[in-house]
């Protein structure tokens, strides 16, 4: 049999070590979220994953946390911040899309993207995008 | 055959893991780099802790199976000498190469391994983003030939642990390259950065554990290029830091694919054992598709390491 560390000591080391490393990461600025600087950055990030498409229209969230991209053909695209990096997705299906006074909230029907994405912009652009996205939502017309 | 007591090297290395991560955090901060993200790090370390728990809860399954095979069917008595350990380490490293390669090329094993590649960061905490489903995927079957040859499961566990600990320190961007002879023989941070990269030219390359000679021998070696920095993560990056979703997402996706109506038995099997990215309707892209798409868009890179040649135009059919 193998020589192992006493279980309670191992658990203590793991819990203590995880806590220490995570707190140090936070203390050193590791919780600062990524932000899109402009629509071109959103385009560049999306095209890196989906190079066959050419975005025709981009809606950048006022806080730079996300952007929606429209194409001449095919489903719209979404780029959003996850920690200090970004995730890019074609939006083929939505669980819900909610329109507020100054924001749009998208819930993706995707096991690996469970967090709602909030996009803040002017009311006119949001209404336009809401109309575009509503048919993709479950039960959407 | 009873053997000596050997240390559980993975457990013993835990304090070292913590100290080296703190050291890497300090160095990267000193260099003005942002290589760690709080929730990403927490997710990676939770995956590592979960892997330890999986070992405690299910490790006996793999160990029992290997012991049963070894005690009944071992062809040789390899013993416990130093040369036996050395031979076991090298052969286990070869075993690791093929296991790792198949873990990237076949979805069943990819479902277990994908979580290790799911971070968009590449640092020492990424090394600990380990699977929770290795036993379920039956990964231990890859060790059966060595148990059958005559290597005791305790020795296999020991050298496997050494290999895993070796691979910890190569998950870093803080070391550029070593002198050429070292880079030629050993798996290094440079080689392993390529392995974790999602750039088309770097996909499915550098499967080595300790010795990179296996990649050179079997044609999967791709060198890191200074003009193409590694972009880390998955072809389709995850939008979550939830360890449960990270651990099980590919199993969930695979199950959904397999049970969808209207498929032939062959298509269902292909969703289980075909390459990641397989789809019965061609709606998804495999690694091969991604590399070919890249070469079509950048023909000047065709045929470089990691990239296929440009496809020759289909020959015209001549009526006979």
């Amino acid at each position: 049999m193998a020589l192992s560390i006493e279980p309670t000591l191992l658990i203590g080391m793991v819990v203590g070590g995880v806590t220490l490393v995570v707190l140090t990461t936070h203390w050193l600025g590791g919780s600062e979220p990524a932000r899109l600087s402009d629509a071109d950055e959103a385009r560049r990030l999306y095209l890196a994953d989906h190079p066959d498409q050419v975005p025709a229209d981009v809606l950048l969230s006022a806080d730079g946390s996300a952007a929606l991209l429209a194409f001449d053909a095919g489903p719209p695209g979404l780029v959003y911040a996850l920690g200090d990096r970004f995730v890019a997705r074609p939006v083929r299906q939505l669980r819900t899309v909610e329109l507020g006074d100054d924001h749009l909230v998208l819930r993706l029907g995707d096991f690996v993207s469970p967090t709602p994405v909030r996009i803040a912009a002017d009311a006119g652009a949001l209404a336009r995008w809401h109309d575009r996205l509503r048919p993709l939502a479950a039960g959407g017309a | 055959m009873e053997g000596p007591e050997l240390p559980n090297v993975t457990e013993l290395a835990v304090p070292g893991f913590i100290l080296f991560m703190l050291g890497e955090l300090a160095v990267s901060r000193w260099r003005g780099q942002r290589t760690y993200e709080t929730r990403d790090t927490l997710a990676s370390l939770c995956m590592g802790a979960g892997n330890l728990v999986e070992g405690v809860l299910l490790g006996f399954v793999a160990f029992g199976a290997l012991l049963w095979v070894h005690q009944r069917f071992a062809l040789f008595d390899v013993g416990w000498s130093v040369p036996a350990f050395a031979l076991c380490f090298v052969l286990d490293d070869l075993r690791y190469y093929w296991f790792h390669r198949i873990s990237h090329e076949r979805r069943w094993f990819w479902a277990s391994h994908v979580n290790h590649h799911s971070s968009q960061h590449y640092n020492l905490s990424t090394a600990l983003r380990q699977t929770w489903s290795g036993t379920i995927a039956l990964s231990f079957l890859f060790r059966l030939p060595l148990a059958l040859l005559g290597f005791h499961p305790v020795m296999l566990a020991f050298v496997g642990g050494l290999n895993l600990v070796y691979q910890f320190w190569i998950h870093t961007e803080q070391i550029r390259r070593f002198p050429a002879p070292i880079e030629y023989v050993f798996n290094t941070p440079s080689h392993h950065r390529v392995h974790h990269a999602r750039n088309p030219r770097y996909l499915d390359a550098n499967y080595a554990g300790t010795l990179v000679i296996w990649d050179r021998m079997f044609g999967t070696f791709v060198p890191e290029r200074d003009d193409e920095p590694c972009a880390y993560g998955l072809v389709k990056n995850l939008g979550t830091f939830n360890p449960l979703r990270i651990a099980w997402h590919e199993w969930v996706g695979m199950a959904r694919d397999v049970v969808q109506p209207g498929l032939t038995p062959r298509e269902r099997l292909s969703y289980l054992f075909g390459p990641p990215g397989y789809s019965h309707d061609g709606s998804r892209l495999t690694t091969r598709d991604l590399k070919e798409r890249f070469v079509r868009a950048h023909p000047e890179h065709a045929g470089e390491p990691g990239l296929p040649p440009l496809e020759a135009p289909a020959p015209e059919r001549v009526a006979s």
Side-chain angles (χ1 to χ4, degrees):
Chain A
M1 295 312 294
L3 295 168
S4 302
I5 295 178
E6 205 263 317
T8 50
L9 178 61
L10 181 65
I11 292 168
M13 278 196 309
V14 169
V15 173
V18 169
T19 306
L20 184 60
V21 171
V22 170
L23 287 179
T24 306
T25 303
H26 175 73
W27 179 63
L28 292 176
S31 304
E32 198 178 310
R35 288 293 176 253
L36 294 162
S37 55
D38 52 30
D40 281 344
E41 187 181 10
R43 274 191 201 95
R44 184 179 56 75
L45 287 165
Y46 194 84
L47 289 176
D49 283 10
H50 307 89
D52 295 336
Q53 290 182 288
V54 181
D57 179 24
V58 178
L59 176 68
L60 179 68
S61 182
D63 61 359
S65 64
L68 282 161
L69 301 90
F71 306 94
D72 290 336
L78 175 67
V79 175
Y80 65 99
L82 182 80
D84 64 348
R85 299 288 193 268
F86 292 97
V87 175
R89 289 269 187 282
V91 185
R92 295 195 175 88
Q93 198 181 355
L94 284 167
R95 198 138 51 88
T96 60
V97 53
E98 294 166 14
L99 178 64
D101 290 341
D102 61 352
H103 66 272
L104 203 56
V105 177
L106 279 64
R107 288 184 175 80
L108 304 175
D110 183 346
F111 186 77
V112 292
S113 304
T115 313
V117 179
R118 189 177 188 278
I119 294 171
D122 71 80
L126 290 174
R128 203 169 61 246
W129 271 95
H130 185 247
D131 289 345
R132 194 178 270 162
L133 294 171
R134 206 169 37 188
L136 303 174
Chain B
M1 180 179 57
E2 286 302 314
E5 286 199 7
L6 296 173
N8 185 328
V9 286
T10 315
E11 285 183 13
L12 292 175
V14 168
F17 292 159
I18 296 164
L19 288 175
F20 276 101
M21 280 188 283
L22 292 172
E24 189 190 36
L25 264 164
V27 169
S28 59
R29 173 73 175 179
W30 178 61
R31 290 176 169 174
Q33 301 165 343
R34 287 183 63 187
T35 54
Y36 279 74
E37 200 277 339
T38 307
R39 286 181 292 166
D40 176 83
T41 304
L42 179 60
S44 293
L45 299 183
C46 285
M47 299 303 297
N51 177 264
L52 280 177
V53 172
E54 190 223 0
V56 171
L57 295 180
L58 295 175
F60 72 93
V61 175
F63 188 82
L66 292 171
L67 193 62
W68 186 81
V69 166
H70 176 78
Q71 288 178 338
R72 280 162 183 76
F73 307 110
L75 298 173
F76 306 102
D77 181 5
V78 177
W80 298 90
S81 64
V82 172
F85 272 95
L87 181 63
C88 186
F89 184 87
V90 172
L91 291 179
D92 185 66
D93 199 47
L94 174 61
R95 182 277 310 170
Y96 179 84
Y97 169 86
W98 281 105
F99 161 64
H100 194 191
R101 181 168 172 173
I102 290 168
S103 294
H104 279 260
E105 293 180 348
R106 298 294 141 197
R107 195 179 181 191
W108 176 266
F109 295 104
W110 175 241
S112 171
H113 183 58
V114 60
N115 67 281
H116 180 62
H117 289 269
S118 61
S119 173
Q120 292 194 54
H121 295 76
Y122 187 76
N123 57 45
L124 293 175
S125 79
T126 313
L128 304 179
R129 194 177 272 235
Q130 292 288 328
T131 184
W132 293 1
S133 53
T135 308
I136 293 169
L138 304 177
S139 303
F140 63 89
L141 294 179
F142 288 84
R143 285 199 166 104
L144 280 181
L146 291 176
L148 201 56
L149 264 178
F151 295 101
H152 195 281
V154 167
M155 188 187 284
L156 291 173
F158 176 70
V159 299
L162 289 179
N163 206 327
L164 199 66
V165 172
Y166 176 88
Q167 290 182 53
F168 170 74
W169 73 274
I170 60 177
H171 289 81
T172 184
E173 292 187 289
Q174 301 308 319
I175 298 170
R176 218 40 228 156
R177 283 194 187 88
F178 285 95
I182 293 173
E183 294 283 341
Y184 191 83
V185 176
F186 292 99
N187 195 11
T188 62
S190 175
H191 300 329
H192 208 58
R193 281 194 289 271
V194 165
H195 177 68
H196 272 259
R198 59 199 288 269
N199 317 44
R201 77 163 69 241
Y202 294 150
L203 289 173
D204 285 5
N206 299 3
Y207 298 110
T210 300
L211 301 170
V212 83
I213 55 171
W214 310 123
D215 284 289
R216 296 185 190 279
M217 284 171 62
F218 299 119
T220 50
F221 178 73
V222 176
E224 185 182 29
R225 291 169 62 123
D226 292 332
D227 62 350
E228 186 163 344
C230 295
Y232 304 108
L234 300 171
V235 169
K236 181 188 173 187
N237 274 317
L238 305 189
T240 180
F241 293 119
N242 182 334
L244 287 168
R245 290 183 189 268
I246 294 170
W248 300 109
H249 75 271
E250 190 67 19
W251 292 103
V252 170
M254 192 162 63
R256 284 177 178 167
D257 286 339
V258 168
V259 301
Q260 61 186 305
L263 298 183
T264 66
R266 185 189 177 90
E267 287 167 343
R268 291 187 203 285
L269 282 174
S270 294
Y271 273 117
L272 287 175
F273 302 111
Y278 163 83
S279 55
H280 69 285
D281 56 2
S283 59
R284 303 176 196 169
L285 298 176
T286 63
T287 296
R288 185 177 165 177
D289 299 329
L290 290 163
K291 286 175 183 279
E292 286 175 352
R293 182 176 73 176
F294 180 83
V295 163
R296 281 197 301 276
H298 305 278
E300 69 276 16
H301 293 298
E304 290 176 353
L307 293 172
L310 262 182
E311 276 179 41
E316 284 185 38
R317 287 177 182 273
V318 179
S320 55

